[in-house]
Amino acid sequence: MPAYPYQFQSRNVRLEFFRLLPISLFVVAFGAAFGLAAIQKGLSPLEAILMSTTVFAGAAQFAVVDMWGTEVSVLPMMAVVFAINSRHLLMGASLYPMLKDVPTGRRYGLLLLLTDANWAVSAQDYQNGRRNLEVILGGGLVLWLTWIIGTGLGVYFGGLLQNPKALGLDMVLGCFLFAMALGGKKSPRVLVAWLVAGVASLAAWKWLPPNMHVVAGALAGGVIGLFWLEPKPQEKRPEAEGDHGH
């Protein structure tokens, strides 16, 4: 990829906004479930909506609500949230080749909208030779807005959808990420990394504390990528002058 300042195209941001709109509609359902859970745990409607607006981390927010009570243990809550969101350390590192030419302030502002879904699309596009940061901005905006809208619906109309898992909606994002993986580059290195990450995730899900399977799978796959480097294409050496005819 050429080293020059990345120029964001507003038209592409709009296109990526609508590209991720279908998957974001399922986010509304889980936002509603979170809003209902937050109200049932004693948070006010404003507190629940403010949490979704400022935190924007679905799994972490559900974990916090589960631990919420009259006496909140702050340190264990911080540890759980860090464990759940630690995958973003690896996700952000994987985006560095695309982000390194973006000014620092804009770079970290962009990462505030990073989610599993828009990261997967951006990573797949990069594997296919396209540096696409507009999907992080445009896709992140539509996911953020629908998460807030869903939380609001759950706060005020939560009884309409108390259990999204009963409808199988919890599988939508997983299937989307799986489709992104299948649509990406398929080399032995990538396939082995996915296989090792999957096995490590399953093992951690069975034997480690809750939510650690996300971290274990990401680290295991990352280790494969770190030590199994793809060979660089060999440059053709020009024939030395005077070699012709010998």
Side-chain angles (χ1 to χ4, degrees), residues 51-74:
M51 183 186 287
S52 287
T53 303
T54 56
V55 178
F56 186 38
Q61 288 179 229
F62 274 107
V64 166
V65 165
D66 285 341
M67 300 174 69
W68 200 265
T70 53
E71 295 183 3
V72 181
S73 301
V74 176

Side-chain angles (χ1 to χ4, degrees), residues 23-80:
I23 191 69
S24 71
L25 297 179
F26 294 96
V27 173
V28 174
F30 281 94
F34 168 74
L36 176 63
I39 292 298
Q40 291 176 340
K41 279 289 188 174
L43 276 74
S44 70
L46 179 60
E47 288 171 338
I49 294 172
L50 279 177
M51 183 186 287
S52 287
T53 303
T54 56
V55 178
F56 186 38
Q61 288 179 229
F62 274 107
V64 166
V65 165
D66 285 341
M67 300 174 69
W68 200 265
T70 53
E71 295 183 3
V72 181
S73 301
V74 176
L75 290 180
M77 185 181 293
M78 290 173 61
V80 169

Side-chain angles (χ1 to χ4, degrees), residues 177-229:
L177 295 174
F178 187 59
M180 290 294 100
L182 292 178
K185 189 176 180 181
K186 299 180 185 67
S187 65
R189 173 177 178 262
V190 172
L191 294 175
V192 170
W194 279 112
L195 178 62
V196 171
V199 171
S201 294
L202 288 173
W205 174 75
K206 185 170 180 60
W207 288 300
L208 292 183
N211 301 307
M212 290 304 297
H213 62 286
V214 178
V215 182
L219 288 174
V223 167
I224 298 297
L226 177 64
F227 290 101
W228 186 348
L229 301 178

Side-chain angles (χ1 to χ4, degrees), residues 3-237:
Y4 55 83
Y6 190 88
Q7 299 296 322
F8 284 87
Q9 305 293 326
S10 58
R11 177 178 177 273
N12 290 341
V13 173
R14 290 193 298 271
L15 289 175
E16 300 298 344
F17 182 97
F18 289 105
R19 182 183 181 187
L20 264 66
L21 181 59
I23 191 69
S24 71
L25 297 179
F26 294 96
V27 173
V28 174
F30 281 94
F34 168 74
L36 176 63
I39 292 298
Q40 291 176 340
K41 279 289 188 174
L43 276 74
S44 70
L46 179 60
E47 288 171 338
I49 294 172
L50 279 177
M51 183 186 287
S52 287
T53 303
T54 56
V55 178
F56 186 38
Q61 288 179 229
F62 274 107
V64 166
V65 165
D66 285 341
M67 300 174 69
W68 200 265
T70 53
E71 295 183 3
V72 181
S73 301
V74 176
L75 290 180
M77 185 181 293
M78 290 173 61
V80 169
V81 170
F82 179 80
I84 294 173
N85 287 336
S86 60
R87 70 189 189 281
H88 284 266
L89 296 172
L90 298 172
M91 288 161 60
S94 71
L95 293 176
Y96 177 74
M98 288 184 278
L99 290 167
K100 62 183 179 181
D101 301 318
V102 177
T104 303
R106 189 175 296 181
R107 179 191 311 169
Y108 290 109
L110 187 67
L111 290 176
L112 290 174
L113 294 170
L114 185 64
T115 69
D116 297 318
N118 56 358
W119 168 80
V121 176
S122 183
Q124 184 196 54
D125 286 348
Y126 188 71
Q127 283 187 347
N128 295 327
R130 178 189 173 201
R131 188 160 61 154
N132 181 10
L133 293 180
E134 283 86 354
V135 71
I136 298 177
L137 180 56
L141 281 172
V142 70
L143 293 165
W144 177 61
L145 289 173
T146 50
W147 177 248
I148 296 171
I149 291 169
T151 302
L153 292 175
V155 164
Y156 294 106
F157 308 103
L160 298 178
L161 188 63
Q162 296 191 29
N163 186 13
K165 291 184 179 181
L167 302 176
L169 298 180
D170 57 317
M171 295 299 297
V172 172
L173 182 57
C175 292
F176 173 78
L177 295 174
F178 187 59
M180 290 294 100
L182 292 178
K185 189 176 180 181
K186 299 180 185 67
S187 65
R189 173 177 178 262
V190 172
L191 294 175
V192 170
W194 279 112
L195 178 62
V196 171
V199 171
S201 294
L202 288 173
W205 174 75
K206 185 170 180 60
W207 288 300
L208 292 183
N211 301 307
M212 290 304 297
H213 62 286
V214 178
V215 182
L219 288 174
V223 167
I224 298 297
L226 177 64
F227 290 101
W228 186 348
L229 301 178
E230 290 184 340
K232 294 182 179 179
Q234 302 241 348
E235 295 183 1
K236 291 184 179 180
R237 295 179 57 187

